[in-house]
Amino acid sequence: MPKPLEGIRVLDWTIWQQGPVSTMMLGDLGAEVIKIEDRVSGDPGRGIMSIGGAATGAAGNRNYYFETNNRHKKSITLDLKQPEAKAIIYKLVEKSDVFVQNFRKGVAGRLGLDYQALSQHNPKLIYASATGYGPDGPDSGEPSFDYMGLARSGIMNAVGEPDMDPLSITGGIADQMGAIMLAYGVMTALLVRERYGIGQEVDGSHLGSMMALQGLNLASRLTLGKEFRRAYRTKAPNPLWNHYKCGDGKWLCLAMIQADRYWSGFCKTLGIQHLEQDPKFATMTVRGKNSEEIIAVIDQVFASQPREYWMNALKHGGDFIYTLVNTVNDLPDDPQMLVNDYIVDYDHPSWGPSKVVGVPVRLSKTPGDPRGVAPEFGEHTEQVLIDLLGYSWEDIGQLKEKEII
Amino acid sequence: MSRPLEGVRVLDWTIWQQGPVSTMMLADLGAEVIKIEERVGGDPGRGVMSVAGAMIGTSSGPNFYFEANNRHKKSLTLNLKTPEAREIIYKLVEKSDVFVQNFRKGVADKLGLGYEALKKYNPKLIYASATGYGPFGPDSAEPSFDYMGLARSGIMTAAGEPDHPPLAITGGIADQMGAIILSYGILAALIARDKYGIGQQVDSSHLGSMTALQGLNVSCKAMLGAEFKRTLRAAAPSPLWNHYQCGDGKWICLAMPQQDRYWPDFCKVLGVQHLEKDPRFDTMGKRAENAKDLVPLLDKVFASQPRDHWMKALKAGGDFIYTVVNSIDDLMRDEQMLTNDYIVEYDHPRIGQTKIVGFPVRLSETPGDPRGAAPEFGEHTELLLTELLDYSWEDVARLKEAEVI
């Protein structure tokens, strides 16, 4: 069975992470993605050699940042300032379904690559933009990186505990989120095109997508006038909805929302039966009032044995809801990650055996596939021009000479 | 123009947040969502009166939690243990496109509501499950809540600073993420159904979707064996990629990756021209080396004036990349949120004039619309049975008497 987006052609004029990840996700689902790169500099993501002080380089003069964000894609290099390069893009647009870009507002228009210009060559084109702050408003022309999405969305004040400063989250999650929602919007527009025969513009931003991530928190503020507060771990209102450090320094996490159902079995498992009927702790309500005291006790108990001990004890002690607190480091060794193909083995043509992040959603008959290599700079320029657009080798020679490709 | 999913019918047998939000998103796009609720009890989300200690509703009125997760939907109450109720569901399946559930592995099969049972009534049915840990593996049958998704995915150790313990993030983001990716999978399956004429199963989990959120971070570990480290704000390797507290206690965030381009103007705006050529700070490399000296100097400068002063100074002083660090509360007043319809006004039939979270992606021709009320418990039972399934009022009376509906 082919993949869901087989036969869909995506023109990907994006750089860094937010734009590239959105088209990578479409590539995972089977779309053909042609990455358009400026012939002199290309996607600056190719040049990233360190992030947050950590080296990103891998074998074959490649870096994992570019590789991750651009797997599956073809690369075509063009000098976009030349009219002939634009003519090539217009021809590609005629043969494509989706165009994705993440340049600052106005850039595409100046180069003749905005929706107005491109839709003339393909009225059913889906034109998708990854932006920082959405298509309208005072900041719609401002540049944005991941960190801006964290800051502006409120999440830096939703991390951690009440007396902490705003805190950052590593790993580019606002970029990922913007990419995910843009791909979501493109898929919706593809369905619309099938059903109503129209193309349209799609915008997915850092701000809007991070809002979706925090939808419940924001809904609370909108409907009730108050937001979820950060909580002190040591005073968590429900001690059975909390995380605890074990004797070996590793952490585990409990999430028993209907806590009274679990309390008795939990006390037994932890060997604190004497506290079960204690009037200070016997019900969820009184535990909430005396949570600092009971959490100190539970802290002490968990600290008395390594995590594995407690994972075993909880498994056998009842139908508890609990799990380990992983670090990202732990994920490639977590069997649950591997057996669900959230991380898969991939024999990369230039690096050899490697592992890559899988497709986050499983489709039983038309699954996506994350195995694909990121292209060398301009690797497919000739192929795309000849096979897709019908240029001759002579044309190619000329275009090269004029430094258009 | 109709909305993208107009005419698509979704049967929504979900509770709490992760499942309900996925179908709410489809409803925002125009799908008809019929929420199937156990006639005794219903979705426990209706009874949630507090989240993390904060009251979220009153026993007499709608609570924002249920409201936010179930807007637009119709409610049908059934006693799922009776054969007649099952029969009603089978009839609904014949007339529907998508079935979504988020019960623990095995529950659906036990009630005759698993994929194998339902697809007999509609071979093109898309059967979607929101799970904790994915369809396979040792923990595939374990229950999971939002907090489990945070813990297991590594994000609790990607938030904050190196010496912090694992930190929670408020607001239910793992539930949101599981919902977003499930609804993404359903869109892909709808496209596949249009193209290949097939139905299939779709599974999205807390673990898999949180992996997608952290895709770059997880890739780093999977490919290179390294992970992004949390960094100390006070010694950020790039002081121009950092957040600072201003004189009025409010925070500002800078994200300038190619910082040498910005450094001279930045020094001028801050009035620290003497640092521009300071041999400790005059290149990106040296600023990284001496960050723990530079950040406190910048802290002091930012602390000397309120945030408004610095926002204006940065705006006027160059083409910098910066923004405010919002709290969820601040989003309410952020013009950028309002102009882009990320927050919209809604005159709710029961709550009255309120504001709700908008649709995160803008589609220019077929936008989503978040305005819709959550149903009363069983509000549409009779309507659906008589109008959609052609039951007579006599049948309805009999089913009521038999406590099937």
Side-chain angles (χ1 to χ4, degrees), chain A residues 2-4 6 17 25 29 51 56-57 64 68 104 133-140 143 145 147-148 151-154 156-160 165-170 173 176-177 180-181 184 187-188 192 195-196 198 200-203 205 207-208 211-217 219-222 224 226-229 241-243 251 253-255 257 319 321-329 331-332 334 336-337 339-340 342 351 355-357 360-366, chain B residues 2-6 17 25 51 55-56 64 68 104 115 133-140 143 145 147-148 151-154 156-160 165-170 173 176-177 180-181 183-185 187-188 195-196 199-203 205 207-208 211-213 215-217 219-224 227-229 241-243 251 253-255 257 319 321-326 328-329 331-332 334 336-337 340 342 355-358 360-366:
Chain A
K3 282 179 268 184
E6 215 110 301
Q17 185 181 352
M25 290 181 72
L29 292 177
I51 296 176
T56 60
Y64 88 89
T68 300
R104 205 164 157 175
Y133 303 105
D136 302 319
D139 294 338
S140 59
F145 282 102
Y147 203 3
M148 303 283 96
R152 189 66 170 264
S153 70
M156 290 174 67
N157 284 298
V159 171
D165 289 340
L167 294 173
S168 184
I169 305 174
T170 63
I173 69 164
Q176 292 295 115
M177 204 59 220
I180 289 166
M181 287 319 310
Y184 184 96
M187 302 244 284
T188 305
V192 165
R195 310 179 82 209
Y196 309 124
I198 57 157
Q200 61 181 318
E201 285 180 274
V202 179
D203 183 285
S205 68
L207 186 60
M211 170 204 72
L213 184 64
Q214 302 179 93
L216 189 69
N217 203 350
S220 170
R221 175 63 185 86
L222 294 173
L224 295 184
K226 51 187 164 191
E227 60 185 305
F228 292 94
R229 298 256 161 67
W241 183 281
N242 207 11
H243 54 290
W251 292 74
C253 184
L254 313 174
I257 197 166
D319 189 26
I321 308 179
Y322 64 99
T323 192
L324 1 124
V325 178
N326 272 333
T327 68
V328 166
N329 237 342
L331 292 180
D334 186 328
Q336 200 63 30
M337 292 290 291
V339 76
N340 284 291
Y342 295 150
W351 307 353
K355 288 191 162 108
V356 295
V357 172
V361 56
R362 153 128 0 188
L363 288 107
S364 61
K365 292 187 187 158
T366 61
Chain B
S2 308
R3 276 181 292 158
L5 299 185
E6 213 103 297
Q17 184 182 354
M25 291 180 74
V51 174
M55 289 306 291
I56 59 170
F64 93 92
R104 210 163 156 175
Y115 178 58
Y133 303 103
F136 307 122
D139 294 337
S140 59
F145 282 103
Y147 204 0
M148 304 283 95
R152 188 68 170 262
S153 71
M156 289 174 66
T157 60
L167 295 174
I169 305 175
T170 64
I173 69 164
Q176 292 294 114
M177 205 59 217
I180 290 166
I181 294 295
S183 123
Y184 179 85
L187 292 176
K195 294 178 89 165
Y196 311 123
Q200 60 183 317
Q201 283 176 277
V202 179
D203 181 285
S205 65
L207 186 61
T211 302
L213 184 64
L216 189 68
N217 204 350
S219 290
C220 182
K221 172 61 184 162
M223 286 182 159
L224 291 187
E227 72 176 311
F228 289 94
K229 297 249 166 60
W241 184 280
N242 207 11
H243 53 292
W251 291 76
C253 184
L254 313 174
D319 189 25
I321 308 179
Y322 63 100
T323 194
V324 293
V325 179
N326 274 334
I328 292 285
D329 195 57
L331 292 178
M332 300 285 302
D334 190 324
Q336 202 63 30
M337 292 290 290
N340 285 291
Y342 294 151
K355 287 182 176 147
I356 56 172
V357 178
V361 186
R362 156 93 49 125
L363 288 115
S364 62
E365 303 299 317
T366 60

Side-chain angles (χ1 to χ4, degrees), chain A residues 8-247:
Chain A
I8 298 289
R9 185 173 292 130
V10 177
L11 299 179
D12 169 36
W13 181 41
T14 69
I15 55 175
W16 299 112
Q17 185 181 352
Q18 183 190 7
V21 170
S22 71
T23 51
M24 174 275 276
M25 290 181 72
L26 301 173
D28 277 1
L29 292 177
E32 175 190 0
V33 181
I34 299 175
K35 187 176 176 79
I36 298 167
E37 296 188 79
D38 184 87
R39 72 175 286 287
V40 177
S41 49
D43 179 350
R46 288 186 181 275
I48 285 201
M49 283 301 129
S50 78
I51 296 176
T56 60
N61 198 25
R62 283 165 167 269
N63 73 66
Y64 88 89
Y65 176 92
F66 184 79
E67 190 66 34
T68 300
N69 300 343
N70 294 282
R71 63 197 187 196
H72 310 290
K73 299 179 188 176
K74 295 175 177 166
S75 164
I76 164 171
T77 50
L78 291 170
D79 178 356
L80 295 174
K81 296 207 177 89
Q82 301 207 44
E84 278 177 80
K86 269 191 265 282
I88 289 172
I89 292 197
Y90 296 151
K91 282 183 195 167
L92 283 170
V93 165
E94 283 172 21
K95 290 174 182 277
S96 298
D97 306 284
V98 182
F99 185 91
V100 186
Q101 64 94 15
N102 69 337
F103 290 85
R104 205 164 157 175
K105 198 176 185 175
V107 173
R110 274 201 299 278
L111 289 168
L113 299 176
D114 57 350
Y115 179 62
Q116 266 57 41
L118 298 192
S119 60
Q120 283 170 31
H121 299 274
N122 179 354
K124 290 194 187 176
L125 184 71
I126 292 159
Y127 187 99
S129 302
T131 67
Y133 303 105
D136 302 319
D139 294 338
S140 59
E142 294 298 315
S144 178
F145 282 102
D146 174 72
Y147 203 3
M148 303 283 96
L150 298 179
R152 189 66 170 264
S153 70
I155 204 167
M156 290 174 67
N157 284 298
V159 171
E161 304 203 338
D163 55 353
M164 290 177 177
D165 289 340
L167 294 173
S168 184
I169 305 174
T170 63
I173 69 164
D175 271 347
Q176 292 295 115
M177 204 59 220
I180 289 166
M181 287 319 310
L182 190 66
Y184 184 96
V186 169
M187 302 244 284
T188 305
L190 282 167
L191 271 165
V192 165
R193 196 189 58 167
E194 285 311 306
R195 310 179 82 209
Y196 309 124
I198 57 157
Q200 61 181 318
E201 285 180 274
V202 179
D203 183 285
S205 68
H206 282 136
L207 186 60
S209 59
M210 288 301 287
M211 170 204 72
L213 184 64
Q214 302 179 93
L216 189 69
N217 203 350
L218 182 56
S220 170
R221 175 63 185 86
L222 294 173
T223 312
L224 295 184
K226 51 187 164 191
E227 60 185 305
F228 292 94
R229 298 256 161 67
R230 304 196 276 195
Y232 290 105
R233 196 198 64 78
T234 52
K235 299 180 203 166
N238 171 5
L240 269 61
W241 183 281
N242 207 11
H243 54 290
Y244 293 96
K245 193 178 187 171
C246 304

Side-chain angles (χ1 to χ4, degrees), chain B residues 118-401:
Chain B
L118 297 193
K119 80 172 184 197
K120 286 187 216 144
Y121 298 89
N122 180 352
K124 290 192 186 175
L125 184 71
I126 292 159
Y127 187 100
S129 303
T131 68
Y133 303 103
F136 307 122
D139 294 337
S140 59
E142 294 297 316
S144 177
F145 282 103
D146 174 73
Y147 204 0
M148 304 283 95
L150 298 179
R152 188 68 170 262
S153 71
I155 204 166
M156 289 174 66
T157 60
E161 305 206 327
D163 54 353
H164 282 148
L167 295 174
I169 305 175
T170 64
I173 69 164
D175 270 347
Q176 292 294 114
M177 205 59 217
I180 290 166
I181 294 295
L182 188 65
S183 123
Y184 179 85
I186 291 169
L187 292 176
L190 283 168
I191 290 173
R193 194 189 61 165
D194 281 355
K195 294 178 89 165
Y196 311 123
I198 54 154
Q200 60 183 317
Q201 283 176 277
V202 179
D203 181 285
S204 131
S205 65
H206 283 134
L207 186 61
S209 59
M210 288 301 286
T211 302
L213 184 64
Q214 302 180 92
L216 189 68
N217 204 350
V218 178
S219 290
C220 182
K221 172 61 184 162
M223 286 182 159
L224 291 187
E227 72 176 311
F228 289 94
K229 297 249 166 60
R230 304 198 276 196
T231 52
L232 213 50
R233 197 200 64 81
S238 162
L240 269 62
W241 184 280
N242 207 11
H243 53 292
Y244 295 93
Q245 190 168 28
C246 304
D248 53 358
K250 296 177 175 168
W251 291 76
I252 210 167
C253 184
L254 313 174
M256 293 175 263
Q258 295 153 314
Q259 43 165 302
D260 281 342
R261 205 175 120 188
Y262 301 97
W263 179 239
D265 285 344
F266 182 74
C267 288
K268 204 188 275 175
V269 168
L270 263 66
V272 291
Q273 292 93 327
H274 57 287
L275 297 181
E276 187 195 331
K277 305 266 184 221
D278 187 314
R280 290 173 301 164
F281 310 130
D282 62 349
T283 68
M284 186 156 161
K286 282 193 250 168
R287 281 193 296 276
E289 239 168 78
N290 301 304
K292 66 176 186 336
D293 299 326
L294 181 53
V295 173
L297 291 173
L298 300 178
D299 273 343
K300 220 154 100 173
V301 177
F302 277 111
S304 71
Q305 296 283 351
R307 183 167 70 186
D308 264 6
H309 170 90
W310 292 118
M311 290 300 285
K312 279 194 199 120
L314 287 165
K315 191 176 180 86
D319 189 25
F320 301 119
I321 308 179
Y322 63 100
T323 194
V324 293
V325 179
N326 274 334
S327 67
I328 292 285
D329 195 57
D330 296 327
L331 292 178
M332 300 285 302
R333 291 172 293 277
D334 190 324
E335 197 183 335
Q336 202 63 30
M337 292 290 290
L338 307 174
T339 317
N340 285 291
D341 287 344
Y342 294 151
I343 291 175
V344 297
E345 303 270 353
Y346 175 45
D347 191 3
H348 188 285
R350 288 181 291 272
I351 302 174
Q353 200 60 41
T354 184
K355 287 182 176 147
I356 56 172
V357 178
F359 195 73
V361 186
R362 156 93 49 125
L363 288 115
S364 62
E365 303 299 317
T366 60
D369 186 353
R371 291 170 196 84
E376 300 290 355
F377 186 52
E379 184 180 342
H380 306 85
T381 304
E382 295 171 4
L383 179 82
L384 289 164
L385 289 181
T386 53
E387 290 187 4
L388 185 61
L389 300 184
D390 291 327
Y391 281 76
S392 69
W393 282 104
E394 219 166 64
D395 296 332
V396 169
R398 200 179 39 75
L399 290 168
K400 273 191 181 165
E401 206 173 287

